[in-house]
Amino acid sequence: MKAGAAPRLDRRIVILEAGFAENEAGEEVATGWAEYAEERAQYTPVSDGERMRAASVEQKTDARFVVRWSIKLAAVSGENRIRFDGVDWQITGVKELGRGLWIEITAWKV
């Protein structure tokens, strides 16, 4: 994204958080994924050239999602996932773009 340019928020994503429940032994266990937030986002696939420069040789689909900054979204981390076009994506990086303007989330398709 160019500096000063507003992203084109033309896609819908759902940010997920792990759901937990207590089992018979009193332990917290993961039970699945629940909706944390639904947002408009810009979707940008990571190019093969970028993947090669990063020395990534795995066959996986990487992408960047840009969303408007909010307190709720500033708390998103690698513990969360994104659901986009019916597919879950594992979050691998989150960074703020501009001061409180946008959040860029990097993820790979699960």
Side-chain angles (χ1 to χ4, degrees):
M1 189 171 84
K2 294 178 184 175
R8 188 170 166 203
L9 307 179
D10 60 349
R11 308 294 178 96
R12 276 257 183 247
I13 64 170
V14 176
I15 299 184
L16 306 169
E17 64 182 347
F20 292 91
E22 194 172 293
N23 66 11
E24 299 82 29
E27 303 166 320
E28 287 285 315
V29 293
T31 59
W33 295 93
E35 185 175 319
Y36 176 72
E38 185 173 337
E39 298 292 327
R40 297 190 60 73
Q42 174 180 301
Y43 163 74
T44 307
V46 173
S47 71
D48 291 335
E50 285 180 274
R51 192 175 298 121
M52 290 180 75
R53 285 189 294 278
S56 175
V57 294
E58 297 178 47
Q59 288 294 334
K60 61 183 183 183
T61 304
D62 296 315
R64 290 191 188 91
F65 299 90
V66 177
V67 295
R68 288 188 199 284
W69 187 95
S70 72
I71 291 173
K72 188 173 189 175
L73 294 180
V76 169
S77 70
E79 303 276 321
N80 298 91
R81 284 190 176 178
I82 291 175
R83 185 162 291 146
F84 171 63
D85 276 352
V87 177
D88 287 358
W89 295 69
Q90 178 64 50
I91 295 174
T92 57
V94 179
K95 70 179 178 183
E96 186 175 335
L97 301 176
R99 190 170 181 178
L101 294 175
W102 311 104
I103 295 174
E104 179 183 89
I105 303 170
T106 306
W108 58 271
K109 195 182 290 187
V110 175

